[in-house]
Amino acid sequence: ETVMTQSPATLSVSPGERATLSCRASQSVSSNLAWYQQKPGQAPRLLIYGASTRATGIPARFSGSGSGTEFTLTISSLQSEDFAVYYCQQYNNWLQTFGQGTKVEIK
Amino acid sequence: EVQLVQSGAEVKKPGESLKISCKGSGYSFTSYWIGWVRQMPGKGLEWMGIIYPGDSDTRYSPSFQGQVTISADKSISTAYLQWSSLKASDTAMYYCARSSSIVGLVVYWGQGTLVTVSS
């Protein structure tokens, strides 16, 4: 099983600032990496797939990068609606796994 | 429009059985994998397993193998998650999640079913 480790656990950011979230895989997942956003009381929402492709309707301020074992989600200028928990997920094989999440909170 | 509509919240006692459902619409139900994801209170997302309704091919995460059963009835476009004997530690929100053409890449989510197990 591929273990996904996200850092930091919590990120305190002011509106308008940049946020950088990291995700590391215990073995290579190629570019089979997705990012999801979850707000309280809601189901997760797909943001990024293929490590760097934005899903339909996702604003350009969200970008993803990386391959192999190291990945990054960048939110270029945080808006009020972006404060949420973010999960990375590898889908390199059917036994997909999630990271433990990074909470982005208002500083 | 693709929709996954889950059954309502449940309150059960330890040792009871339970089957929750997820009805798909707006797409060919037999053509895409559907999975189940657990989220315990205040915790992260855990992938439980997946099923391909077209042929009922089912796979479980090792942590959930033997603990739950995933099934599907393609005649009514519905996937199921069931327990034979609930424990208090099964208390969680459960989401069904439909993959894209790539297994495991979830584009569509159900609204979640809250299962509470308490004596």
Side-chain angles (χ1 to χ4, degrees), chain A residues 60-84:
Chain A
R61 64 180 181 272
F62 291 92
S63 63
S65 63
S67 66
T69 62
E70 300 284 344
F71 301 90
T72 300
L73 174 70
T74 301
I75 312 171
S76 59
S77 177
L78 271 157
Q79 306 298 302
S80 58
E81 62 266 30
D82 300 335
F83 292 96

Side-chain angles (χ1 to χ4, degrees), chain A:
Chain A
E1 179 177 320
T2 303
V3 177
M4 308 300 292
T5 302
Q6 292 186 240
S7 61
T10 304
L11 188 61
S12 297
V13 185
S14 299
E17 289 188 340
R18 172 188 294 258
T20 302
L21 290 67
S22 296
C23 175
R24 174 176 292 177
S26 62
Q27 60 188 293
S28 176
V29 298
S30 186
S31 294
N32 297 310
L33 190 285
W35 291 94
Y36 298 87
Q37 176 194 66
Q38 188 179 33
K39 297 179 181 179
Q42 296 184 16
R45 176 175 71 143
L46 177 66
L47 298 176
I48 300 284
Y49 64 94
S52 61
T53 302
R54 279 189 302 276
T56 302
I58 302 303
R61 64 180 181 272
F62 291 92
S63 63
S65 63
S67 66
T69 62
E70 300 284 344
F71 301 90
T72 300
L73 174 70
T74 301
I75 312 171
S76 59
S77 177
L78 271 157
Q79 306 298 302
S80 58
E81 62 266 30
D82 300 335
F83 292 96
V85 179
Y86 293 83
Y87 295 93
C88 64
Q89 180 219 24
Q90 67 79 19
Y91 52 94
N92 194 48
N93 54 56
W94 70 267
L95 183 52
Q96 51 266 57
T97 46
F98 292 98
Q100 80 278 20
T102 291
K103 181 179 181 180
V104 177
E105 64 177 24
I106 300 174
K107 188 174 182 180

